[in-house]
Amino acid sequence: WRTISKKLQEGKALLKLIETELLKLRRRKLLLIMLLAALIMPFFAMLLFRYKGETGINPLEFYRWSAFGYTLFIILPVVLGIFCVMLIYEEKRHDVAKQLWIVPISRMSYFFSKFFVVLFYSVVFMMITAIASAAFGVLPGYIGFDGNHILYLFERCLEIGVITAFALLPVLSIATMTKGYILPSCITLIYALLGFFLMNTNIYLHPICSTAAIIMRDSDIPGLAFSQTINVPFALLCIAAWDIIFILLANIALKKK
């Protein structure tokens, strides 16, 4: 019973930490402004089809540009990576973590509270992308309103938001292990670009590649395909392996503080 009671207390402490972290976001205006990046590709998709002068196109073709292309490969990973870095850097700068160790708070509870905030932010980002994609496609008349396609868009965007958060967990781990702001930010850019350039090499080498493979598992998005056969369990294994390794590294780093 003592063990169960202890686990329940740890669970409550983690939920309290997550709640506190979410409340902190309201004071970090820059992090909220970064959500505007979710509008970039929906806006450019609208401009593209306006330039082409096409209407009544396949909704999946529009969504490929607005949500399933560069948003998945570049924009969301970079934004989430910077979000991870800023989340950790601000607390290091103000020595907030040291105050938490006095409470005391489990090191890994602290780490996972940060991750759940990243997960929440990622899902919100992709929901904004989904809403903007539907609005910029339907309202100007480039695509027709189809409930099934809209549902498909929101389902895939939710998947992207959740899985990409797990794919960026190594960046959060690196942010906890390194000092300063510049180094982890540079690592974030390298990490995101590496995932993009490895797409045509091996989709099971990098979490971002594996995320894209999972999203495109049905091969139903026009213009997006891999040379390799998509194996969802392998893709999940790739993400899980990276996450487990970097969680262990983060645990070691946090224990030294």
Side-chain angles (χ1 to χ4, degrees):
W1 286 108
R2 288 181 179 178
T3 303
I4 295 174
S5 177
K6 184 179 179 181
K7 293 295 182 183
L8 287 174
Q9 289 178 356
E10 289 177 356
K12 288 180 181 179
L14 177 59
L15 290 175
K16 187 65 178 178
L17 267 177
I18 294 171
E19 181 185 1
T20 304
E21 292 295 335
L22 292 174
L23 291 173
K24 286 180 187 177
L25 291 181
R26 296 185 302 179
R27 300 197 301 269
R28 296 174 177 177
K29 303 299 181 184
L30 180 59
L31 297 180
L32 298 178
I33 292 172
M34 284 166 54
L35 289 173
L36 294 176
L39 304 176
I40 293 175
M41 288 314 298
F43 179 71
F44 276 106
M46 182 184 69
L47 292 182
L48 173 66
F49 288 101
R50 181 179 180 181
Y51 174 77
K52 289 183 175 182
E54 298 178 7
T55 57
I57 61 173
N58 180 357
L60 293 182
E61 176 69 17
F62 186 89
Y63 299 150
R64 172 171 76 94
W65 287 97
S66 67
F68 304 143
Y70 290 110
T71 299
L72 167 60
F73 303 139
I74 296 291
I75 296 175
L76 180 60
V78 170
V79 169
L80 273 191
I82 293 173
F83 179 79
C84 290
V85 173
M86 293 179 67
L87 209 58
I88 300 297
Y89 174 73
E90 286 296 319
E91 297 209 341
K92 284 183 178 179
R93 191 160 66 94
H94 296 102
D95 289 330
V96 174
K98 291 181 180 179
Q99 298 174 28
L100 289 174
W101 304 155
I102 298 171
V103 173
I105 293 292
S106 161
R107 264 61 169 176
M108 293 314 294
S109 292
Y110 168 80
F111 178 80
F112 282 116
S113 71
K114 298 296 183 186
F115 170 72
F116 279 112
V117 174
V118 173
L119 175 63
F120 174 79
Y121 191 88
S122 181
V123 170
V124 170
F125 187 98
M126 288 310 301
M127 288 299 100
I128 293 173
T129 298
I131 293 169
S133 297
F136 289 166
V138 173
L139 295 180
Y142 300 125
I143 60 177
F145 182 84
D146 184 306
N148 290 329
H149 282 120
I150 295 292
L151 182 61
Y152 175 89
L153 169 66
F154 276 84
E155 286 178 349
R156 282 292 191 267
C157 283
L158 179 61
E159 288 181 12
I160 292 171
V162 172
I163 300 172
T164 304
F166 282 92
L168 267 291
L169 189 146
V171 173
L172 180 65
S173 177
I174 291 169
T176 63
M177 292 187 287
T178 56
K179 295 181 179 181
Y181 181 82
I182 297 176
L183 178 60
S185 296
C186 291
I187 292 174
T188 292
L189 293 175
I190 294 170
Y191 183 83
L193 292 174
L194 183 63
F196 179 74
F197 288 116
L198 285 176
M199 291 285 179
N200 294 322
T201 303
N202 191 319
I203 56 178
Y204 306 115
L205 289 177
H206 195 285
I208 293 176
C209 302
S210 295
T211 299
I214 295 169
I215 300 304
M216 300 172 198
R217 60 189 178 276
D218 297 326
S219 301
D220 53 357
I221 302 174
L224 293 179
F226 292 110
S227 56
Q228 291 178 266
T229 301
I230 294 177
N231 186 311
V232 174
F234 277 4
L236 292 172
L237 183 61
C238 168
I239 297 171
W242 277 70
D243 285 356
I244 290 170
I245 291 170
F246 278 90
I247 286 172
L248 293 175
L249 291 174
N251 187 34
I252 293 170
L254 288 171
K255 281 182 177 179
K256 292 179 180 179
K257 297 182 180 181

